[in-house]
Amino acid sequence: MSNNTDSHPDLISPGEIKPANLELETVRKKLAGSTGPRYWRTLQELADQPAFGELLQREFPRGAGEWLDPVSRRGFLKLAGASMALAGLAGCTKQPIEQILPYVRQPEYLVPGKPMFFATAMPFAGYSHPLLVETHEYRPTKIEGNPQHGACLGGTDLFAQASILDLYDPDRSINITYKGEPRPWGEFLGSVRGRVLYHNANQGAGLRFLTGATSSPTFGSQMKAIQQLFPQSRWHRWEPVHRDGAREGSKLAFGGYYDPIYKFEAADVVVSLDGDFLSGSWFPGFVRYARDFMGRRKNPEKGMNRLYVAESAPTTTGAKADHRVPARNSEIENIARALAAKVGVAGAGGGQISADQQKWVDAAAADLMQHKGKGIVVPGVFQSAAVNALAHAMNAALGNAGQTVTYIDPVEIDPLEHTQSIRELLADMSAGKVETLIIMGGNPVYDAPADLEFGSVLEKLVSDQKNMVIQLSIYKNETTDFATWHLPQAHYLESWGDARSFDGAVTLMQPMIAPLYDGRTANEFVAIFTDEPSTSGYDLVRAYWRSQHTGDDFEAWWRRSLHDGYIADSAFAPRQVAAKLGAIPAAPANSNGIEIIFRPDPTIYDGTFVNNAWLQETPKPLSRNTWDNVAYISPAMAQRFGFFVLETDGIAKSDSESNVNRDHQSDAQNVLELTIDGRKVKVPVWPQPGHPDQAVTLFLGYGRKKTGNVGAGAGYDAYSVRSAGSQYTASGSIELTKDQWDIAITQGHFTMDTREPVKAGSLQEFLKDKDFAHNAEEEPKTEDTLYPDYREKGWYKGNAWGMAIDLNSCVGCQACSVACYAENNISVVGKAQVQRGREMMWIRIDTYYAGDPANPSVYFQPLPCMQCEDAPCEGVCPVGATVHSTEGLNDMVYNRCVGTRYCSNNCPYKVRRFNFMLFADYTTPVLKLGRNPDVTVRSRGVMEKCTYCIQRITAARINAEEQNRVKNGRIDIRDGEIKTACQQACPADAIIFGDINDPNSRVAQLKAQERNYSLLAEVNTRPRTTYIAAVNNPNPELEKA
Amino acid sequence: MAQLFHRSANTLARASILGVVLLLSSAGAALFQLQRSPYVTNQHIAPDQPIPFSHQHHVAGLGLDCRYCHTSVEESSFAGIPPTKTCMNCHAEMWTSADMLQPLRTSFRTGESIQWNRVHDLPDFVYFNHSIHIAKGVGCYSCHGPVDQMPLMYEENTLQMEWCLNCHRQPEKFLRPKEEIFNMTYQQPTEDHPVQWNGQNYFSQVALGNDLKKQYHLRTVQDITSCSTCHR
Amino acid sequence: MATKIDEEIDVLPPKGVRPPIMGPGHTLGTVTDRIGGIVLTKHTPIFWLMIVALCVALFGMLNTAIAYLLGRGVGIWGVNIPVGWGFAIVNFVWWIGIGHAGTLISAILLLFKQGWRTSINRFAEAMTIFAVMQAGLFPLLHTGRPWLAAYWLFPIPLTMGVWPQFRSPLIWDVFAVSTYFTVSFLFWGIGLIPDFGTLRDSAKTLVVRRIYGMLAMGWRGSARHWNRYETAYMLLAGLATPLVLSVHSVVSLDFAVAVVPGWHTTFFPPYFVAGAIFSGFAMVLMLAIPFRYLYGMQDFITLRHLQNCAKLMLATGLIVAYSYSMEMFIGWYSNDKFELGLVHNRLHGPYSHFYFVLIFCNILAPQSLWLNKVRSTPWILFLVSCIVQTGMWLERFVIVVLSLNRDFLPSSWGMYWWTKWDMMTLIGTMGFFTLLFFLFIRFMPAISIFELRTLLPQSKVKE
């Protein structure tokens, strides 16, 4: 009975990794031969390899030790908590007397019990995300996109949704420290003032600032002021996930820095050269772009845009492509050249590409030529300067520039190339030219290029007493160890400030809550150097805009801007710039060595969110693993290593039970050791369908040495092998170790088996048979049921809630899942519990692969509770804890549930989640502030699930009733008045909720479409949540070929 | 051979059988009562308060309207407990030196809240909303009882689920015209005390209640007894 | 004399002649002494002490497991989503099944006037009661909040003003099982009264006489007593008979009512009842064979009894085998993709080895019972019974887990592995069961004395 809970896998005997005797060729042949939908379960199964039986043998159960979660701060198993659960002995227990503490002076406008919404913005990698924040008695509880702002139109990404958890993170830095010792603000101020006086004397020689990219006008003006006060001082910039390639590219093409703005709503053909604009906010404008792009795919009848993607690391953008071609990072440039040459860019060409890639290029080129001015070539922000330059040139040559692509001045203040900037800083530091180093945000010791050895240089610097390093940071991190002074930074929800969104529009930040830990904003901090210490952030921001605003209506203007959250018409005007293909560096030689690709992690970005439990538990798109970063390799490469980790038949959950059978492949992943110019790192491999061969993709942000309890010990550190010279692509060597690495995955099968939960077809098929999503002989008549007919009982007469999910639009970004965590107080369970198959996600995104493993089609299917009209869960609950509501919901009554789990067993969709232990954290005080007061916090032994955000429905209904809004016997709740959390968060507008009794509601109209189908209609559960079948738009030319 | 037991053993045996039956049934009855008893529900028990605030004096005596203090009762789920400031509106002028108001003055000076003991306390998994009940014609009295007769605030009803359902299952028996919501002395219509509403005399509550249900667009009983009405 | 009889034990009679129900040469006296002796003797056998000591230890382990469970929640078990039911329900169904033979033997065989039942019915009934006690633990323990389930599942007028949901099979369970337990208990208790009387009369010390005296409830064996006794016994037998069939039918509905492929079938009730009797008789043999050996009861529990039980096992075993084949056939015949998926999962899925072991235990192994040699060789019979018992546990595992781990959506397919706590609970209940049984043997007449008397030639003459 192995009771192994250590996260560092130990050795296994060499014999364990048995070569799966299966060649990719056999797989291909099988697929070629197979008829019907070519969905495969596992590569083993495809080839029904003999080793299968032996795999089964290896699953023979070991008794599982009862584990304690290694990464859990919250120790679910605390008996304290258990006793709390036992206190739930309701019925005849006596309630303790509670106290009420009324205000002494109640704030104006505050209505206790009613939420208030304020506009603000979240700064992210130099851009801002405009937000609306829900607050209860001035405690922010939920984040939404600002619907009035063009940068998001109400949508958000998962980072914005989860950022609220950082505000309440008990692991935040809570005090000012001097060499690790707590100190009062006064002493800090004194010490820094001393520094300021000193540098006043020497013109600021040796005074250096290091920040991430910023677009805050106020901060910009402050830094300018500092430049004048301290002419010798310098401001360095470092974003680990920077866009230097794009910067250089625009310099090559335009001779200056410009940011491209894409108009996907106007584009018929989109060609992406690793341009990952449908995955996450590391692509500036993602939220808006997802909306615009998918806007062209919602009504296939009216025609669709077409998406060609050539990409290295598989992304959700590639998953949505009509034609995707995998290419290693270095090959992308050759593809770009070939494409450019074909669309008539002079001086392009050169560089070989494979036959597949050639086919793709020809088709894409032809399409682009046919749609001049109506196409877009999107370069990857992590791609080389050449790729970016070529893309600009192509857009110019195709007449897209000015039509579908416009260029604006860079949004970043004082734009520069970050790698260059930090190189210079380190050079000066080593040369002893730096005496005072101020690090605002960021964590260079951890994420600066490994070969620059920021840590040791910094150590040398601080070792000299006359030098001083000051760090302003929201967490105490690796860099803190070397800082003379550490000052806690205020979370953006605690801050006054401003920043520009990707289109240049200024968004204003206002605090939702006073700083919990006496944090300071960057503005307030640098004010010390401009001789206005202890000036409030509010005064600083206001003063700046006072100076900017012309006209005497400042007060009114200022109030309106704050209310709206942005400054009207402040977006940058497009610049007329002509792209000419300058001297782009020569085409790189095709090497067949192993290529290492670096990418930000899909859920914790560059490491910023490593301590965010929601994001840690959010499965990474495509691989569906949590609490770790894995390294993608191609199935073919895994083949050559002689193993397969893509789930063997159905065992994902058990396999990933570290303490059950460690010797199983898809539990304990094989570990590769990477070597890049001398530096080594051990990474768990994940053969990712669609990954280019001879390449390994590493994800940044994990393997932290110093962070909070959530992020501690998770994953490997990709920065440790990332050098300044090769930040997104490097060449290295790999070798298979005998180590094993337990990962936690939330989905076992990536195949639809015979069940076809996702209905998908091509545009041609759809136009031929609009009803293709339905399979008549399989769908029973709705009256063939033993369930009570609620309609006969006169139910559903009022509002009848329903949801339609457009599979075409879903980009699998996970924003909905995280939004649900925030809205519904969902507990995080930790890695070990996820490995046991006990994650609590109410809306998951099922991911399925179909076709050739080397380049499969991918389907996303968001899956909340289906709210069946004939719900299998309801009949079997012995205590009636899950019951039908007159509006057609399956109400879940947590306080009535005794936890037989019968409902979950009987749920065909397995959307119910159970509190197997005390997952909810009752003990950490600060977390209580962030909870949604309108939703019960579920205790131990209780089943829970999605109820279409019943709290929002109730609030809206009460509101409507109090206003006496009644229309033909129904309470008149306007369409769109209720938005579920997932719907509101979705950037692509894929989730539509509303009243199906109202024929004019969007949901009713969607459900009227032919493409609308019920999941598992065979079971005749009559779900209220239905799906709009996916339709893709492949190029007929390519299809023929 | 000698008798093992005395003759009385037989009677004893029979008696004990009866005894067990009686014991069990009475124990059941006791539990049934206990869980509804004031001991468990705090019904009719006035907890100690930092200030012995008298609703009787302020409502019946001075004729203050409920909403003077419970400001958000018509717009929010939470009726609102008056901030110290509200009390001081008057008590800055009157009874300024009364000992019993010491906590009030302290609170106003120090800015520390007065710690009232909660009288009407529903479990955290129950989401009661004041405003909608008022919008639908449920008087304060129906739940809170004769507040104007309470020198110290106490719980008039058990606030147990069966008590809530009692009204949710037959609202017509309790509804009153909106004008009468805050009226503590309102009496339900009877044969000899008719109630006039919409220019019409009602002699029975049920008749009035049914008309009010229509007028105030009450949802059906199935609707308002759906679990999600109160539990989320 | 008794020893002399023992020597001739287990000698097969010539072909065609069935072994006797009772060894020759017994008189009213010998019967009473031999059976009453076990209880009334002063010295407790060593093996008894050893076994009980072991069982007490296991019982302690069970309590530990339960305490820990209440402290931390069902999360200490292997259950998860999708497999929400694991060991607890498997064990529940298994124990309930075992609990069937007792009442069947005492009630149904009584109504069918099967004389041979008399010497095994007493401990078979005891077995039933103890088994149901084990079974009763699980449905409660497996809930997330047992302290609430304990009374919310009963129709009690609570302050919530709501009732249990009677549409749910789990509620039917509550009634079915509790009724079954009550009736079996009464049946057993009433049967004991005359024997308590006998013990009272033959006991040596006053204390013991008093104790058994109370239990005997003033039994004097008068004609009136016998008359009433017979009536009551018959009535209860009539009452118990339908229960034998109803209990496991209801239990089977827990599954049959659900939509889960592998559960959602109409023929579960007969299938489950047959299985229950199958395992029940296996358990009777597992208890009878050691018992008659340890206490030299060979001439009260003769080869005849063993053979009859074996034959019943064979018969029910064949019904079970038929059910298995039907499951597979229907799965294939329905051509429903989910049913087909189930068949595939059983034959080729990650748990297929469980399924094949099950087939061996419940279908192949019992076929040996066709051989008279096997039926008349106690130790082989004991072995077969053990195999069958294991098989019946596996059957429930296959039904519960193999249906849930791959139901409808591939995305949510998963696996279930038990933890050490699951194991401790299962083994603990086995210990508890054995403990109760051996206490019963030591302090109560394990074989019905007065009913045996009726089999004696002397008593025949009287009639």
Side-chain angles (χ1 to χ4, degrees), chain A residues 1 41 52 56 59-64 66 77 79 82 85-86 88-91 649-651 653-654 660-661 747-749 751-755 757 778 788 836-838 844 846 848 863 874-880 894-902 904-910 912-914 916-917 940-942 1015-1016 1018-1019, chain C residues 68-85 142-149 151-153 158-160 162-171 253-255 257-260 263 337-338 341-342 344 348-354 404-421:
Chain A
M1 171 164 328
R41 162 171 304 149
F52 190 57
L56 296 186
E59 289 152 31
F60 202 87
R62 323 274 161 88
E66 184 270 324
L77 311 183
L79 281 170
L86 284 161
L89 273 158
D649 198 346
I651 2 232
K653 286 183 174 166
S654 75
V660 175
N661 38 4
Q747 184 176 345
H749 283 249
T751 167
M752 309 204 206
D753 195 58
T754 53
R755 287 115 205 255
E778 276 200 350
R836 277 207 170 287
R838 293 170 180 175
R844 60 177 199 261
D846 287 350
Y848 296 106
L863 210 85
E874 287 167 0
V876 296
C877 176
V879 291
Y894 307 121
N895 42 301
R896 177 69 172 171
C897 177
V898 297
T900 65
R901 303 185 294 290
Y902 200 170
S904 168
N905 290 348
N906 211 23
C907 172
Y909 310 95
K910 291 290 174 284
R912 295 180 153 264
R913 302 297 182 199
F914 188 69
F916 285 93
M917 287 174 172
R940 191 187 104 195
V942 172
L1015 184 53
L1016 297 178
E1018 310 86 317
V1019 190
Chain C
Y68 192 66
L69 177 78
L70 294 177
R72 290 196 169 169
V74 283
I76 68 168
W77 290 349
V79 282
N80 59 21
I81 309 288
V83 186
W85 284 354
H142 101 288
T143 61
R145 304 199 289 175
W147 49 91
L148 294 179
Y151 66 108
W152 280 6
L153 287 176
L158 298 169
T159 57
M160 274 97 71
V162 292
W163 298 101
Q165 190 196 212
F166 297 100
R167 273 160 71 206
S168 167
L170 293 187
I171 292 292
L253 293 181
D254 290 350
F255 304 102
V257 163
V259 300
V260 181
W263 291 7
K337 55 188 165 196
F338 304 118
L342 177 80
H344 177 273
H348 311 292
Y351 287 110
S352 54
H353 42 287
F354 282 72
L404 287 173
N405 86 307
R406 298 238 195 115
D407 56 355
F408 293 94
L409 288 181
S411 62
S412 44
W413 289 357
M415 293 290 280
Y416 164 84
W417 299 126
W418 52 85
T419 66
K420 65 172 178 241
W421 298 104

Side-chain angles (χ1 to χ4, degrees), chain C residues 228-454:
Chain C
R228 294 215 176 137
Y229 170 85
E230 290 294 343
T231 334
Y233 205 60
M234 276 299 172
L235 280 175
L236 278 171
L239 205 57
T241 308
L243 287 179
V244 178
L245 305 177
S246 72
V247 181
H248 226 50
S249 306
V250 171
V251 170
S252 76
L253 293 181
D254 290 350
F255 304 102
V257 163
V259 300
V260 181
W263 291 7
H264 186 63
T265 76
T266 47
F267 77 112
F268 260 18
Y271 166 15
F272 268 50
V273 172
I277 297 165
F278 190 37
S279 63
F281 274 98
M283 184 55 88
V284 170
L285 288 171
M286 286 169 71
L287 295 173
I289 291 169
F291 169 64
R292 70 198 282 271
Y293 170 73
L294 291 171
Y295 286 97
M297 288 289 139
Q298 285 90 337
D299 48 1
F300 299 132
I301 306 175
T302 66
L303 287 181
R304 173 76 165 280
H305 297 103
L306 305 190
Q307 288 181 344
N308 290 352
C309 292
K311 286 174 185 162
L312 268 160
M313 260 172 76
L314 182 55
T316 46
L318 290 171
I319 305 180
V320 170
Y322 172 77
S323 310
Y324 293 172
S325 53
M326 269 305 126
E327 268 186 323
M328 284 297 165
F329 171 75
I330 305 256
W332 165 78
Y333 184 70
S334 69
N335 197 26
D336 170 79
K337 55 188 165 196
F338 304 118
E339 290 294 328
L340 288 172
L342 177 80
V343 174
H344 177 273
N345 187 26
R346 287 190 176 174
L347 296 179
H348 311 292
Y351 287 110
S352 54
H353 42 287
F354 282 72
Y355 189 68
F356 294 125
V357 177
L358 154 69
I359 296 297
F360 167 78
C361 295
N362 286 359
I363 299 185
L364 303 184
Q367 300 314 316
S368 60
L369 296 172
W370 290 104
L371 307 173
N372 198 8
K373 182 87 184 81
V374 174
R375 290 204 305 274
S376 347
T377 323
W379 71 268
I380 304 185
L381 212 46
F382 183 78
L383 202 67
V384 175
S385 312
C386 294
I387 295 176
V388 167
Q389 209 55 272
T390 323
M392 285 313 293
W393 188 89
L394 282 173
E395 175 196 302
R396 276 58 178 257
F397 184 91
V398 165
I399 290 172
V400 171
V401 175
L402 270 71
S403 309
L404 287 173
N405 86 307
R406 298 238 195 115
D407 56 355
F408 293 94
L409 288 181
S411 62
S412 44
W413 289 357
M415 293 290 280
Y416 164 84
W417 299 126
W418 52 85
T419 66
K420 65 172 178 241
W421 298 104
D422 286 299
M423 264 306 167
M424 284 166 68
T425 321
L426 171 59
I427 297 169
T429 48
M430 291 178 182
F432 188 22
F433 174 81
T434 324
L435 175 64
L436 290 167
F437 189 76
F438 272 83
L439 289 174
F440 158 76
I441 291 179
R442 181 70 182 80
F443 298 111
M444 293 180 184
I447 297 178
S448 169
I449 302 171
F450 77 92
E451 287 186 285
L452 268 189
R453 292 212 192 104
T454 61

Side-chain angles (χ1 to χ4, degrees), chain A residues 195-216:
Chain A
R195 251 6 228 189
V196 173
L197 295 175
Y198 167 73
H199 285 297
N200 277 333
N202 72 359
Q203 297 285 303
L207 173 60
R208 301 305 178 91
F209 296 85
L210 174 62
T211 73
T214 175
S215 59
S216 160

Side-chain angles (χ1 to χ4, degrees), chain C residues 40-51:
Chain C
L40 296 174
T41 171
K42 280 239 164 2
H43 103 284
T44 313
I46 282 303
F47 66 80
W48 189 89
L49 291 172
M50 279 158 42
I51 294 173

Side-chain angles (χ1 to χ4, degrees), chain C residues 3 39 57-58 78 119 123 125 135 147 158 171 182 194 210 236 249 317 403:
Chain C
T3 44
V39 179
L58 293 177
S119 45
F123 73 76
E125 288 164 26
W147 49 91
L158 298 169
I171 292 292
T182 322
R210 283 250 157 116
L236 278 171
S249 306
S403 309

Side-chain angles (χ1 to χ4, degrees), chain A residues 578-905:
Chain A
K580 52 202 164 319
L581 195 47
I584 59 168
N590 279 18
S591 83
N592 207 33
I594 297 291
E595 177 177 291
I596 316 292
I597 304 167
F598 293 89
R599 288 288 180 264
D601 186 89
T603 65
I604 69 162
Y605 192 53
D606 60 358
T608 316
F609 299 103
V610 76
N611 207 52
N612 188 308
W614 292 346
L615 291 175
Q616 283 281 14
E617 196 143 305
T618 302
K620 323 280 178 193
L622 301 175
S623 65
R624 313 303 294 164
N625 72 304
T626 64
W627 291 96
D628 270 316
N629 52 348
V630 290
Y632 288 173
I633 62 171
S634 70
M637 186 191 272
Q639 224 7 243
R640 291 195 293 278
F641 278 118
F643 58 79
F644 255 117
V645 254
L646 192 73
E647 289 48 69
T648 54
D649 198 346
I651 2 232
K653 286 183 174 166
S654 75
D655 295 345
S656 41
E657 274 181 29
S658 47
N659 49 354
V660 175
N661 38 4
R662 301 179 51 75
D663 59 348
H664 199 286
Q665 288 178 334
S666 49
D667 151 37
Q669 303 295 339
N670 299 293
V671 172
L672 287 181
E673 183 168 63
L674 271 88
T675 315
I676 305 177
D677 38 32
R679 297 185 190 77
K680 294 178 182 301
V681 65
K682 286 186 170 183
V683 300
V685 275
W686 181 269
Q688 174 59 42
H691 193 280
D693 198 14
Q694 285 296 84
V696 182
T697 301
L698 303 186
F699 292 99
L700 303 168
Y702 276 93
R704 300 293 296 269
K705 284 170 207 63
K706 183 170 184 188
T707 178
N709 292 302
V710 173
Y716 61 86
D717 179 4
Y719 287 113
S720 64
V721 292
R722 188 187 187 210
S723 345
S726 51
Q727 297 196 36
Y728 291 109
T729 325
S731 62
S733 65
I734 54 178
E735 102 187 76
L736 181 63
T737 68
K738 290 192 174 57
D739 296 8
Q740 298 278 288
W741 189 309
D742 301 328
I743 65 165
I745 44 184
T746 61
Q747 184 176 345
H749 283 249
F750 293 95
T751 167
M752 309 204 206
D753 195 58
T754 53
R755 287 115 205 255
E756 291 183 53
V758 173
K759 315 274 187 199
S762 72
L763 186 54
Q764 292 88 332
E765 287 167 355
F766 169 65
L767 294 175
K768 238 189 266 107
D769 169 18
K770 295 223 162 151
D771 214 23
F772 76 102
H774 298 273
N775 186 343
E777 75 271 8
E778 276 200 350
E779 291 174 18
K781 287 196 227 53
T782 48
E783 56 270 24
D784 298 350
T785 177
L786 292 174
Y787 285 81
D789 186 337
Y790 293 107
R791 281 197 176 69
E792 247 169 34
K793 287 174 147 192
W795 294 24
Y796 306 163
K797 284 229 182 73
N799 313 91
W801 306 116
M803 182 180 276
I805 299 178
D806 180 2
L807 294 177
N808 240 18
S809 302
C810 175
V811 295
C813 72
Q814 300 280 1
C816 51
S817 308
V818 184
C820 190
Y821 269 83
E823 173 68 18
N824 293 301
N825 301 333
I826 301 177
S827 306
V828 170
V829 300
K831 181 177 179 180
Q833 287 289 328
V834 173
Q835 289 173 318
R836 277 207 170 287
R838 293 170 180 175
E839 67 276 3
M840 282 292 185
M841 198 157 278
W842 280 8
I843 176 171
R844 60 177 199 261
I845 297 183
D846 287 350
T847 304
Y848 296 106
Y849 295 104
D852 181 348
N855 187 17
S857 357
V858 188
Y859 301 97
F860 298 118
Q861 183 169 45
L863 210 85
C865 173
M866 296 282 120
Q867 315 292 350
C868 310
E869 287 186 358
D870 292 347
C873 54
E874 287 167 0
V876 296
C877 176
V879 291
T882 182
V883 283
H884 216 66
S885 92
T886 47
E887 297 177 334
L889 304 184
N890 308 115
D891 291 347
M892 184 66 220
V893 194
Y894 307 121
N895 42 301
R896 177 69 172 171
C897 177
V898 297
T900 65
R901 303 185 294 290
Y902 200 170
C903 52
S904 168
N905 290 348

